[in-house]
């Protein structure tokens, strides 16, 4: 049974969240202020922490930072203000997700479940070598978590888009033909042809390039293929 810690000073909200999580078979503890929350988070092994931003004692920023220094537990931060969410993102405190109040308890449960599933996949695959983050200028690729950020903003990629982008970014300044890329990323017997590569490059550019017509990352080498500019 997964254990969740809710750090929330508004008792009614904390109780509601607890009820819904318990209905989904989670075990739930509540801490009513930042100091107690931090203590509980560090002394126990929770599977996920729901952390409110505005808290007496110690605010969510500090608590998040402090937990993140010692624990790898997923942290879901909640705040009543959209501006605060942007601030949390900007600070890079290591929270895994953000929710703006008010949210429905069932949305909270859905997010919690999604994070636990993702975290489990992640920890199961951690026999692989570490240092799987590629950073090139404003582009950050986390290979283990299969997540991509552009200037701090997370972008969503399909499996093949992610594989293609990662392959190019790991082999910068090398010109690949569409044929080579197709063979590298797609299975021998997958349906499609090298036009698939062009379509995927276009999609990737729309997500990572400031101006797709004037790409800063993936260059087109006319008549040959593509090159990731280092
Ligand atoms: Ca609060």
């Amino acid at each position: 049974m997964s254990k969740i810690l809710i750090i929330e000073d508004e008792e009614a909200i904390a109780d509601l969240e607890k009820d819904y999580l318990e209905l989904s078979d989670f075990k739930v503890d509540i801490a009513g202020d930042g100091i107690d929350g931090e203590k509980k988070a560090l002394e126990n092994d929770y599977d996920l922490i729901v952390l409110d931003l505005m808290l007496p004692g110690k605010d969510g920023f500090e608590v998040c930072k402090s937990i993140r220094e010692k624990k790898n537990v997923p942290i879901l931060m909640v705040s009543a203000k959209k501006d605060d969410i942007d601030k949390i993102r900007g600070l890079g405190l290591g929270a895994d997700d953000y929710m703006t109040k008010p949210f429905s308890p069932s949305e909270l449960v859905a997010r919690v479940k999604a994070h636990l599933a993702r975290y489990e996949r992640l920890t199961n695959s951690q026999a692989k070598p570490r240092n799987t983050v590629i950073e090139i200028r404003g582009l950050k690729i986390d290979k283990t978590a299969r997540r991509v950020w552009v200037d701090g903003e997370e972008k969503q990629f399909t499996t093949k888009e992610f594989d293609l982008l990662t392959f190019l970014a790991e082999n910068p300044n090398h010109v690949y033909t569409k044929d080579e890329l197709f063979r590298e990323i797609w299975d021998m017997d997958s349906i499609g042809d090298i036009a698939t590569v062009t379509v995927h490059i276009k999609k990737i550019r729309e997500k990572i390039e400031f101006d797709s017509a004037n790409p800063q990352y993936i260059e087109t080498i006319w008549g040959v293929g593509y090159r990731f500019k280092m």
Side-chain angles (χ1 to χ4, degrees):
M1 188 186 278
S2 296
K3 269 172 69 185
I4 313 286
L5 174 64
I6 297 171
I7 308 177
E8 169 65 72
D9 57 318
E10 284 169 74
E11 224 180 301
I13 294 180
D15 286 342
L16 185 67
E17 292 174 356
K18 182 174 196 266
D19 287 348
Y20 268 80
L21 287 166
E22 283 179 347
L23 280 174
S24 293
D25 280 336
F26 293 107
K27 190 178 178 310
V28 181
D29 287 343
I30 294 175
D33 64 70
I35 292 164
D36 184 38
E38 180 185 10
K39 188 166 174 287
K40 281 196 166 82
L42 295 179
E43 284 175 1
N44 301 281
D45 282 325
Y46 291 103
D47 296 289
L48 185 140
I49 295 169
V50 179
L51 175 61
D52 184 35
L53 187 63
M54 298 303 288
L55 292 165
K58 221 173 199 193
D59 70 23
F61 291 113
E62 288 180 78
V63 176
C64 181
K65 198 162 161 258
S66 155
I67 297 171
R68 188 48 81 234
E69 276 167 10
K70 299 190 180 72
K71 298 239 176 185
N72 197 23
V73 56
I75 300 172
L76 172 53
M77 284 196 92
V78 297
S79 169
K81 283 189 280 179
K82 171 79 177 61
D83 289 357
D84 286 337
I85 303 287
D86 295 338
K87 196 173 163 195
I88 302 166
R89 282 213 172 94
L91 285 172
L93 293 173
D96 297 84
D97 200 2
Y98 319 88
M99 286 180 88
T100 312
K101 284 180 185 173
F103 48 79
S104 71
S106 46
E107 188 189 349
L108 174 72
V109 172
R111 296 258 198 132
V112 167
K113 283 183 177 169
H115 276 282
L116 291 177
R118 193 176 69 82
Y119 188 73
E120 205 166 294
R121 284 200 301 277
L122 229 73
T123 41
N124 285 344
S125 62
Q126 261 175 16
K128 287 178 193 158
R130 299 186 65 84
N131 193 16
T132 54
V133 174
I134 303 166
E135 276 190 280
I136 299 164
R137 299 188 292 278
L139 178 70
K140 182 177 161 190
I141 304 169
D142 185 334
K143 285 177 64 193
T144 313
R146 297 184 67 87
R147 295 171 75 184
V148 179
W149 293 263
V150 180
D151 294 323
E153 194 191 339
E154 186 167 6
K155 305 280 177 171
Q156 302 302 320
F157 286 79
T158 65
T159 307
K160 291 300 180 199
E161 286 167 10
F162 182 90
D163 290 345
L164 182 56
L165 172 63
T166 306
F167 177 75
L168 287 168
E170 280 186 313
N171 300 281
N173 298 331
H174 185 120
V175 181
Y176 289 97
T177 66
K178 290 175 189 174
D179 239 319
E180 286 174 318
L181 291 173
F182 187 74
R183 269 183 280 126
E184 187 65 42
I185 307 300
W186 281 265
D187 299 331
M188 292 298 280
D189 43 24
S190 67
I191 301 160
D193 55 36
I194 58 168
T196 313
V197 177
T198 315
V199 172
H200 278 73
I201 293 283
K202 184 170 176 287
K203 292 257 163 72
I204 293 169
R205 278 180 176 154
E206 283 166 5
K207 293 170 195 181
I208 67 169
E209 297 285 1
F210 176 68
D211 176 6
S212 298
N214 179 26
Q216 300 303 303
Y217 291 108
I218 302 175
E219 288 178 297
T220 302
I221 310 298
W222 291 108
V224 188
Y226 299 101
R227 172 172 65 188
F228 197 100
K229 227 185 334 185
M230 190 64 175

